[in-house]
Amino acid sequence: MNGTDAWGFATREAATTKGRTTDNGAAGQAAAHDEPYGPLRTARAALTRILEPGDETAGRWLREMGPESLWRALSGDAAPPAGARPDKIAGLRLRAARTDPAGDLATLTALGGRFLIPGDEEWPGQLDDLGDGRPIGLWVRGLANLRFWALRSVAIVGARACTEYGAHLAATLGAALAERGWTVASGAAYGVDGAAHRGALAADGATLAVLASGVDHAYPRGHTELLGRIAEQGLLVAELPPGDHPTRSRFIQRNRVIAALTRGTVVVEAELRSGSLVTARRALALGRFTMGMPGPVTSGLSAGVHQLLRGEATLVTDADEVIELVGSIGDLGPQRHGPTLARDLLDPVAARVLEALPARGGADAGHLARESGTTRDIVQSKLVELQSLGFVQRCGGRWELARRAEPAEGSRRGGT
């Protein structure tokens, strides 16, 4: 049916090339000659509909044969790849019979998107670290340059059924990273993913969503508005062509792209069995920074993060600590320490004299000299100094702690 999709864009039938029909493959091939994309890009677009993301066997075929030859082989117009299982080839040829790359590319163009392939100026080179599991191509919506954004990007992932604590951490971290010029990447799922995206958007920053479906397919449905905002203000990225739907295995494979695309991955709340941990460990295997934000030890949603922190990951609590890890030389987080007390500023001898004073009652200079291990004359001068600073007071020939000094209840001596 012609019309508009859930995001207000033209549907596939309304957006296809003029004169294209869908009742046979020959018409699709004819449309391919008329459409503006070259044969290499068209072949890769076709292969994204035939092959599953992350299929390393198919990735090896692609590397050895090239996109156009592999498309012909899987379409039945050439011999199958050497050593390929007959049952696998039969299944892929069923998919190939339904491919219409010209139509898919036209649909993407109508959405204001583009299809990127390795070798493009905008292709993120770090995806090549995936080897034969590298994406065949990327379907992208949004105005920003994906390669530039990915160079300064951090993934924030975590539980879908997160707590308010987890949502707050993800949103706050997303906003703080965006304010510092970093791109926030995630998977647009419920929970931590959505909170991270919203935090970046609220800060008018950069965010990109890597989807396990086509870039025209709003999933989950409850995030239709959020995905629309990301398409306008950020980037939507997918390995799957327009109209394709998510599956369990596609979510898992989507995670490898998130891990490879970014400088590091932060996990915010995750159970012991969690796709977020898969993302984090894939990032670690790829040589990326892996980080976790701790939570209550009584929460099962923190158990996976804590397990990660016991081994492979680095503990972080805010954007400064994340950037210190993933940023350039000089991007150091602030030094953290407790409040500075007045007694912390005393010189060592004055501090010893103050420590020698009893918590209650007083003592003469001779007693304080013995207790502090210094001479009576030095003790006398230090007591005068301490008196001027408000730490001690004189009562006849004895000295005692001033009542306005720092409390020392429960301590035998005044300096503890």
Side-chain angles (χ1 to χ4, degrees), residues 29 51 60 102 105 131 164 221 231 261 280 287 293 304 306 365 375 389:
Q29 291 292 331
L51 303 172
R60 176 173 56 80
L105 291 165
E164 290 185 10
R221 284 293 177 185
L261 198 61
M293 301 192 83
H306 294 165
T375 66
L389 294 172

Side-chain angles (χ1 to χ4, degrees), residues 49 52 212-214 217 219 240-248 250-251:
R49 192 170 288 281
E52 281 296 310
S213 62
H217 184 83
Y219 187 90
L240 296 161
D244 242 346
H245 60 280
T247 63
R248 183 179 181 82
R250 289 172 175 179
F251 280 119

Side-chain angles (χ1 to χ4, degrees), residues 25-355:
Q29 291 292 331
H33 292 294
D34 295 332
E35 76 106 43
Y37 295 97
L40 181 64
R41 198 174 304 271
T42 301
R44 282 187 174 269
L47 291 172
T48 63
R49 192 170 288 281
I50 299 170
L51 303 172
E52 281 296 310
D55 185 337
E56 294 191 2
T57 298
R60 176 173 56 80
W61 296 342
L62 180 61
R63 173 170 50 82
E64 293 173 349
M65 301 175 63
E68 296 171 76
S69 295
L70 180 57
W71 184 23
R72 285 194 297 271
L74 297 181
S75 299
D77 297 331
R85 297 196 325 268
D87 59 328
K88 180 168 185 174
I89 293 298
L92 294 177
R93 282 180 172 173
L94 287 175
R95 285 187 173 184
R98 300 195 303 270
T99 58
D100 179 13
D104 289 335
L105 291 165
T107 297
L108 185 67
T109 300
L111 295 175
R114 56 203 178 277
F115 179 62
L116 303 179
I117 63 173
D120 285 345
E121 181 275 333
E122 196 182 346
W123 181 262
Q126 58 267 45
L127 292 178
D128 298 344
D129 292 347
L130 292 170
D132 287 338
R134 178 181 71 173
I136 298 166
L138 292 174
W139 304 82
V140 179
R141 287 176 63 185
L143 299 178
N145 184 294
L146 176 60
R147 184 173 70 86
F148 289 159
W149 272 24
L151 289 174
R152 278 177 61 89
S153 64
V154 174
I156 302 176
V157 298
R160 287 177 171 82
C162 68
T163 64
E164 290 185 10
Y165 167 82
H168 172 73
L169 283 184
T172 302
L173 181 61
L177 287 169
E179 286 172 350
R180 289 161 174 76
W182 285 79
T183 301
V184 174
S186 198
Y190 289 132
V192 166
D193 288 18
H197 288 306
R198 290 189 181 95
L201 291 169
D204 291 326
T207 188
L208 67 87
V210 182
L211 308 181
S213 62
V215 292
D216 62 338
H217 184 83
Y219 187 90
R221 284 293 177 185
H223 277 177
T224 298
E225 181 181 355
L226 174 62
L227 289 164
R229 289 183 62 200
I230 296 173
E232 293 175 0
Q233 187 174 324
L235 289 170
L236 295 180
V237 180
E239 292 182 82
L240 296 161
D244 242 346
H245 60 280
T247 63
R248 183 179 181 82
S249 64
R250 289 172 175 179
F251 280 119
I252 295 173
Q253 293 302 329
R254 179 272 308 274
N255 293 344
R256 87 191 194 289
V257 177
I258 294 176
L261 198 61
T262 53
R263 295 286 296 273
T265 295
V266 183
V267 184
V268 180
E269 288 197 323
E271 294 182 303
L272 289 171
R273 180 181 173 87
S274 168
S276 302
L277 299 184
V278 174
T279 307
R281 289 179 175 132
R282 192 62 184 264
L284 186 72
L286 290 167
R288 311 296 195 261
F289 293 100
T290 307
M291 297 155 278
M293 301 192 83
V297 296
T298 54
S299 172
L301 284 170
S302 296
V305 181
H306 294 165
Q307 183 188 64
L308 202 65
L309 290 173
R310 283 171 58 85
E312 313 103 311
T314 301
L315 187 150
V316 293
T317 60
D318 59 22
D320 287 329
E321 293 176 352
V322 173
I323 294 171
E324 184 173 25
L325 278 177
V326 304
S328 304
I329 295 175
D331 287 335
L332 300 178
Q335 294 294 322
R336 303 180 190 278
H337 49 74
T340 300
L341 304 178
R343 69 178 60 233
D344 296 334
L345 304 178
L346 295 175
D347 67 73
V349 177
R352 288 205 309 273
V353 173
L354 182 61
E355 289 281 337

